[in-house]
Coordinates of all heavy atoms in Angstrom, one line a residue:
E1 N -65.3 -102.1 -24.0 CA -65.6 -102.3 -25.5 C -64.3 -102.6 -26.2 O -64.3 -103.3 -27.2 CB -66.2 -100.9 -26.1 CG -67.7 -100.8 -25.9 CD -68.5 -101.8 -26.6 OE1 -68.2 -101.9 -27.9 OE2 -69.3 -102.5 -26.0
A2 N -63.2 -102.0 -25.7 CA -61.9 -102.2 -26.3 C -61.4 -103.7 -26.2 O -60.5 -104.2 -26.9 CB -60.8 -101.3 -25.8
S3 N -62.1 -104.4 -25.3 CA -61.7 -105.9 -25.0 C -62.2 -106.7 -26.1 O -61.7 -107.9 -26.3 CB -62.3 -106.3 -23.7 OG -63.6 -106.5 -23.7
G4 N -63.1 -106.3 -26.9 CA -63.7 -107.0 -28.0 C -64.8 -108.1 -27.6 O -65.4 -108.7 -28.5
S5 N -65.1 -108.1 -26.3 CA -66.1 -109.1 -25.8 C -67.5 -108.5 -26.0 O -67.7 -107.3 -26.2 CB -65.8 -109.5 -24.4 OG -65.7 -108.4 -23.6
E6 N -68.5 -109.3 -25.8 CA -69.9 -108.8 -26.1 C -70.6 -108.3 -24.7 O -70.4 -108.9 -23.7 CB -70.7 -110.1 -26.5 CG -72.2 -109.8 -26.9 CD -72.3 -109.0 -28.2 OE1 -71.2 -108.9 -28.9 OE2 -73.3 -108.6 -28.5
P7 N -71.2 -107.2 -24.8 CA -71.9 -106.6 -23.6 C -72.9 -107.7 -23.0 O -73.6 -108.5 -23.7 CB -72.8 -105.5 -24.2 CG -72.0 -105.0 -25.3 CD -71.4 -106.3 -26.0
G8 N -72.8 -107.9 -21.8 CA -73.6 -108.9 -21.0 C -72.8 -110.2 -20.8 O -73.2 -111.0 -19.9
S9 N -71.7 -110.3 -21.5 CA -70.9 -111.6 -21.3 C -70.1 -111.5 -20.0 O -69.8 -110.4 -19.5 CB -70.0 -111.8 -22.5 OG -69.0 -110.9 -22.5
D10 N -69.7 -112.6 -19.5 CA -68.8 -112.6 -18.3 C -67.5 -111.9 -18.5 O -67.1 -111.2 -17.6 CB -68.5 -114.1 -17.9 CG -69.7 -114.8 -17.4 OD1 -70.8 -114.2 -17.1 OD2 -69.7 -116.1 -17.3
E11 N -67.0 -112.0 -19.7 CA -65.7 -111.3 -20.0 C -65.9 -109.8 -20.0 O -65.0 -109.1 -19.5 CB -65.2 -111.8 -21.3 CG -64.8 -113.2 -21.4 CD -65.9 -114.2 -21.6 OE1 -67.1 -113.7 -21.8 OE2 -65.7 -115.4 -21.4
Y12 N -67.0 -109.4 -20.5 CA -67.3 -107.9 -20.6 C -67.5 -107.3 -19.2 O -67.1 -106.2 -18.9 CB -68.6 -107.7 -21.4 CG -68.8 -106.3 -22.0 CD1 -68.3 -105.9 -23.2 CD2 -69.5 -105.4 -21.2 CE1 -68.6 -104.6 -23.7 CE2 -69.7 -104.1 -21.7 CZ -69.3 -103.8 -22.9 OH -69.5 -102.5 -23.4
K13 N -68.3 -108.1 -18.4 CA -68.6 -107.6 -17.0 C -67.2 -107.5 -16.2 O -67.1 -106.5 -15.5 CB -69.5 -108.5 -16.3 CG -70.9 -108.5 -16.8 CD -71.8 -109.6 -16.2 CE -73.1 -109.8 -16.9 NZ -73.9 -110.9 -16.3
Q14 N -66.3 -108.4 -16.4 CA -65.0 -108.4 -15.7 C -64.2 -107.2 -16.2 O -63.5 -106.5 -15.4 CB -64.3 -109.7 -15.9 CG -63.0 -109.8 -15.0 CD -63.3 -109.7 -13.6 OE1 -64.2 -110.4 -13.0 NE2 -62.7 -108.8 -12.9
A15 N -64.3 -107.0 -17.5 CA -63.6 -105.9 -18.0 C -64.0 -104.5 -17.4 O -63.2 -103.6 -17.2 CB -63.7 -105.8 -19.5
I16 N -65.3 -104.4 -17.2 CA -65.8 -103.2 -16.6 C -65.3 -103.1 -15.1 O -64.9 -102.0 -14.7 CB -67.5 -103.2 -16.5 CG1 -68.0 -103.2 -17.9 CG2 -68.0 -102.1 -15.6 CD1 -69.5 -103.5 -18.0
I17 N -65.4 -104.2 -14.4 CA -64.9 -104.2 -13.0 C -63.5 -103.8 -12.9 O -63.1 -103.0 -12.0 CB -65.1 -105.5 -12.4 CG1 -66.7 -105.8 -12.1 CG2 -64.6 -105.7 -11.0 CD1 -67.1 -107.2 -11.9
D18 N -62.6 -104.3 -13.8 CA -61.2 -104.0 -13.8 C -61.0 -102.6 -14.2 O -60.0 -102.0 -13.7 CB -60.5 -105.0 -14.8 CG -60.5 -106.4 -14.4 OD1 -60.7 -106.7 -13.2 OD2 -60.3 -107.3 -15.3
A19 N -61.8 -102.0 -15.0 CA -61.6 -100.7 -15.5 C -62.0 -99.6 -14.5 O -61.4 -98.5 -14.6 CB -62.3 -100.5 -16.8
I20 N -62.9 -99.8 -13.7 CA -63.5 -98.8 -12.8 C -62.4 -98.1 -12.0 O -62.3 -96.8 -12.1 CB -64.6 -99.3 -11.9 CG1 -65.9 -99.6 -12.7 CG2 -65.0 -98.4 -10.8 CD1 -66.9 -100.3 -12.0
P21 N -61.6 -98.7 -11.2 CA -60.5 -98.0 -10.5 C -59.4 -97.5 -11.3 O -58.8 -96.5 -11.0 CB -59.9 -99.1 -9.5 CG -60.3 -100.4 -10.2 CD -61.6 -100.1 -10.9
E22 N -59.3 -98.0 -12.5 CA -58.3 -97.4 -13.5 C -58.7 -96.1 -14.1 O -57.9 -95.2 -14.1 CB -58.1 -98.6 -14.6 CG -57.0 -98.0 -15.6 CD -56.9 -99.1 -16.8 OE1 -57.4 -100.2 -16.6 OE2 -56.3 -98.7 -17.8
V23 N -60.0 -96.0 -14.4 CA -60.4 -94.8 -15.1 C -60.9 -93.8 -14.1 O -61.1 -92.5 -14.6 CB -61.6 -95.1 -16.1 CG1 -61.1 -96.1 -17.2 CG2 -62.8 -95.6 -15.4
G24 N -61.2 -94.1 -12.9 CA -61.7 -93.1 -12.0 C -60.9 -91.9 -11.8 O -61.6 -90.8 -11.7
S25 N -59.6 -92.0 -11.7 CA -58.8 -90.8 -11.4 C -59.0 -89.7 -12.5 O -58.7 -88.6 -12.3 CB -57.3 -91.1 -11.3 OG -56.9 -91.7 -12.5
G26 N -59.4 -90.2 -13.7 CA -59.6 -89.2 -14.8 C -61.1 -88.6 -14.9 O -61.3 -87.9 -15.8
I27 N -61.9 -89.0 -13.9 CA -63.3 -88.5 -14.0 C -63.4 -87.2 -13.2 O -63.4 -87.3 -11.9 CB -64.3 -89.6 -13.5 CG1 -64.1 -90.9 -14.3 CG2 -65.7 -89.1 -13.5 CD1 -64.4 -90.7 -15.8
A28 N -63.6 -86.1 -13.8 CA -63.8 -84.9 -13.1 C -65.3 -84.7 -12.8 O -66.0 -84.1 -13.6 CB -63.2 -83.7 -13.8
G29 N -65.8 -85.3 -11.9 CA -67.2 -85.4 -11.6 C -67.8 -84.1 -11.0 O -67.1 -83.1 -10.7
V30 N -69.1 -84.1 -10.8 CA -69.8 -83.0 -10.2 C -69.4 -82.9 -8.7 O -69.3 -81.8 -8.1 CB -71.3 -83.1 -10.3 CG1 -72.1 -82.0 -9.6 CG2 -71.7 -83.2 -11.7
T31 N -69.3 -84.0 -8.1 CA -68.9 -84.0 -6.6 C -67.5 -84.4 -6.3 O -67.2 -84.5 -5.1 CB -69.9 -85.0 -5.9 OG1 -69.6 -86.4 -6.3 CG2 -71.4 -84.7 -6.2
S32 N -66.7 -84.6 -7.3 CA -65.3 -84.9 -7.0 C -64.5 -84.4 -8.3 O -64.1 -85.0 -9.2 CB -65.0 -86.4 -6.9 OG -63.8 -86.6 -6.5

């Protein structure tokens, strides 16, 4: 969302993919 692109667009999807490993370490999940 911070990228300013539209959900469903190619740019937005790539932003999600790029963000997953970046934000993961801060996710205190149920199983991790």
Side-chain angles (χ1 to χ4, degrees):
E1 281 292 310
S3 72
S5 52
E6 185 71 12
S9 67
D10 291 341
E11 295 78 11
Y12 196 95
K13 292 173 187 173
Q14 187 59 54
I16 295 171
I17 293 165
D18 292 341
I20 288 172
E22 179 184 345
V23 301
S25 60
I27 302 299
V30 177
T31 68
S32 187

